[in-house]
């Protein structure tokens, strides 16, 4: 789906269509599982630890975290995604604060969370909206709180299959695993680190992950960043 104008929204409405059409990821991403257990505060139990996911979709990551005892909150622009996430939490007897909203203006108090997660959600908006969202993550994290940011890389195979739009976005992607995903912002190292000013964040870890299929389905190639930053 193409955007209907050239003004980048803070999230792409295509995701409402995708989730309303029945897409549901049921299980957590491995990188998020590793992040939660590596960076959770050691002086607190999971039950005392508050986790926020920005752009949580149907909330498989938060479903896992809630099962492990964490206090979880999530926000997504898709009403269909949040409705399904709330239903699943209720079916499984889990607690969570799951809301429809915009991650560039979080409806949460300052210094509320110990951990925050972005699992490729910030890749669905332009650089300015991502900057605002990261500033909001900084606001709602406690001092010493840790943010996991997992955007798509400029080396992703889908990057060359679209046209360049405004504010760093690639539009109308016609190749690779992100066909149908709407507008996507692909990050180079400098662009990503530029979103985390060293007066506000301390980068604890940065890695680049790339999968190049050798045999089989060549449309499954991916490239992404995994950045972990601590609020100063």
């Amino acid at each position: 789906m193409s955007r209907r104008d050239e003004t980048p929204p803070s999230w792409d409405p295509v995701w409402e269509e995708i989730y309303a059409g029945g897409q549901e990821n049921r299980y957590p991403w491995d990188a998020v599982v590793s992040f939660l257990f590596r960076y959770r505060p050691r002086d607190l139990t999971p039950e005392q630890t508050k986790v926020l996911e920005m752009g949580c979709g149907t909330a498989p990551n938060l479903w896992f975290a809630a099962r492990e005892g964490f206090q979880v909150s999530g926000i997504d622009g898709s009403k269909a995604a949040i409705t399904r996430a709330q239903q699943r939490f209720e079916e499984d007897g889990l607690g969570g604060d799951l809301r429809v909203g915009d991650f560039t203006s979080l409806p949460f108090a300052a210094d509320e969370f110990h951990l925050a997660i972005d699992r490729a959600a910030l890749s669905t908006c332009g650089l300015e909206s991502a900057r605002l969202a990261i500033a909001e993550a900084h606001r709602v994290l406690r001092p010493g709180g840790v943010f996991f940011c997992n955007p798509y890389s400029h080396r992703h195979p889908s990057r060359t299959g679209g046209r360049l739009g405004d504010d760093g976005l690639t539009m109308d992607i016609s190749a690779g695993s992100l066909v149908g995903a709407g507008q996507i912002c692909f990050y180079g190292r400098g662009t990503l680190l530029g979103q985390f000013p060293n007066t506000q964040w301390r980068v604890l870890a940065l890695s680049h992950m790339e999968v190049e299929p050798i045999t089989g389905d060549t449309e499954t190639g991916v490239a992404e960043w995994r950045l972990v930053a601590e609020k100063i």
Side-chain angles (χ1 to χ4, degrees), residues 3-227:
R3 286 192 1 260
R4 293 164 176 77
D5 57 56
E6 290 301 316
T7 302
S10 58
W11 73 289
D12 194 326
V14 72
W15 287 99
E16 176 66 14
E17 298 179 17
I18 290 171
Y19 288 123
Q23 175 168 306
E24 178 181 1
N25 297 322
R26 292 189 58 82
Y27 299 103
W29 293 86
D30 59 345
V32 173
V33 173
S34 297
F35 167 75
L36 287 173
F37 286 105
R38 180 170 183 180
Y39 290 99
R40 73 172 182 84
R42 294 304 169 187
D43 57 338
L44 301 177
T45 66
E47 291 77 11
Q48 296 170 316
T49 303
K50 301 187 71 173
V51 179
L52 170 68
E53 183 168 12
M54 303 163 67
C56 63
T58 55
N61 296 318
L62 296 180
W63 171 84
F64 165 79
R67 282 171 57 95
E68 294 296 318
F70 292 92
Q71 297 183 52
V72 303
S73 298
I75 189 167
D76 197 275
S78 168
K79 181 178 178 181
I82 291 297
T83 297
R84 179 60 194 121
Q86 291 169 336
Q87 291 171 343
R88 189 182 187 196
F89 270 58
E90 183 176 355
E91 290 165 1
D92 291 348
L94 300 173
D97 180 4
L98 307 175
R99 309 189 194 186
V100 179
D102 189 328
F103 49 44
T104 66
S105 181
L106 294 174
F108 303 106
D111 302 336
E112 184 171 349
F113 296 95
H114 301 94
L115 301 172
I117 299 164
D118 155 48
R119 217 311 297 175
L122 297 188
S123 275
T124 66
C125 64
L127 293 170
E128 176 60 18
S129 289
R131 184 190 67 78
L132 294 173
I134 292 167
E136 279 290 271
H138 188 274
R139 180 183 66 81
V140 302
L141 280 170
R142 301 184 181 195
V146 183
F147 182 36
F148 176 66
C149 185
N150 184 203
Y152 292 117
S153 163
H154 63 305
R155 292 174 63 174
H156 195 292
S158 287
R159 181 171 179 261
T160 58
R163 64 179 178 84
L164 186 62
D166 294 335
D167 204 22
L169 289 165
T170 297
M171 318 298 298
D172 303 324
I173 293 171
S174 60
S177 60
L178 294 177
V179 172
Q183 61 184 30
I184 298 292
C185 187
F186 297 97
Y187 282 82
R189 178 175 178 172
T191 303
L192 177 59
L193 290 175
Q195 297 279 39
F196 290 84
N198 57 19
T199 55
Q200 298 178 324
W201 299 96
R202 179 181 299 106
V203 174
L204 303 179
L206 176 64
S207 59
H208 186 269
M209 311 296 291
E210 195 165 354
V211 176
E212 179 185 0
I214 304 301
T215 61
D217 185 0
T218 59
E219 295 294 297
T220 60
V222 296
E224 63 184 42
W225 294 99
R226 296 180 180 181
L227 181 147

